[in-house]
Amino acid sequence: MKIEILDEAEKDIAIGISFYEAQKDGLGKYFLDSILSDIESLHIYAGIHVVISEYYRLLSKRFPFSIYYKIKDDVIYIYAVLDCRRDPNATAKRL
């Protein structure tokens, strides 16, 4: 299966990188590497995650982030990469 990260999800990842890089030099890159590793795991595990608001939700292994995706025609579309510490109402509105 092919994985496509949509523009909004790329913006979410960039925000996460900026946040963690501001905490400590190099942590933003580690965040990016971890999130991309989680996303790559979808080649094996796509479709087994809990469904929230019609999206599958993959929890990141290293950071408090959720990756929301859908599967259509053998393509995995990443719609959002959101901080789990956000207001749940903001997450629900986003999805």
Side-chain angles (χ1 to χ4, degrees):
M1 269 196 239
K2 180 182 173 194
I3 296 176
E4 186 173 328
I5 302 173
L6 302 178
D7 290 342
E8 286 299 312
E10 286 184 5
K11 290 176 189 174
D12 295 336
I13 293 169
I15 290 168
I17 291 168
S18 296
F19 173 79
Y20 284 110
E21 195 60 34
Q23 306 306 307
K24 183 178 179 187
D25 285 343
L27 190 55
K29 179 167 179 3
Y30 181 67
F31 169 78
L32 174 62
D33 292 343
S34 296
I35 291 295
L36 292 179
S37 177
D38 292 329
I39 290 170
E40 284 297 315
S41 76
L42 292 174
H43 284 292
I44 299 169
Y45 299 111
I48 67 164
H49 302 97
V50 67
V51 176
I52 307 287
S53 300
E54 299 180 18
Y55 296 89
Y56 290 102
R57 182 185 70 183
L58 162 64
L59 297 175
S60 175
K61 291 185 179 22
R62 301 250 188 251
F63 290 89
F65 275 73
S66 296
I67 299 164
Y68 293 91
Y69 69 95
K70 289 184 178 182
I71 304 169
K72 295 180 186 172
D73 301 323
D74 289 332
V75 178
I76 301 165
Y77 294 97
I78 308 297
Y79 284 86
V81 180
L82 302 177
D83 192 329
C84 294
R85 299 167 295 183
R86 289 179 66 172
D87 176 12
N89 292 326
T91 298
K93 189 179 281 189
R94 170 72 188 280
L95 297 176

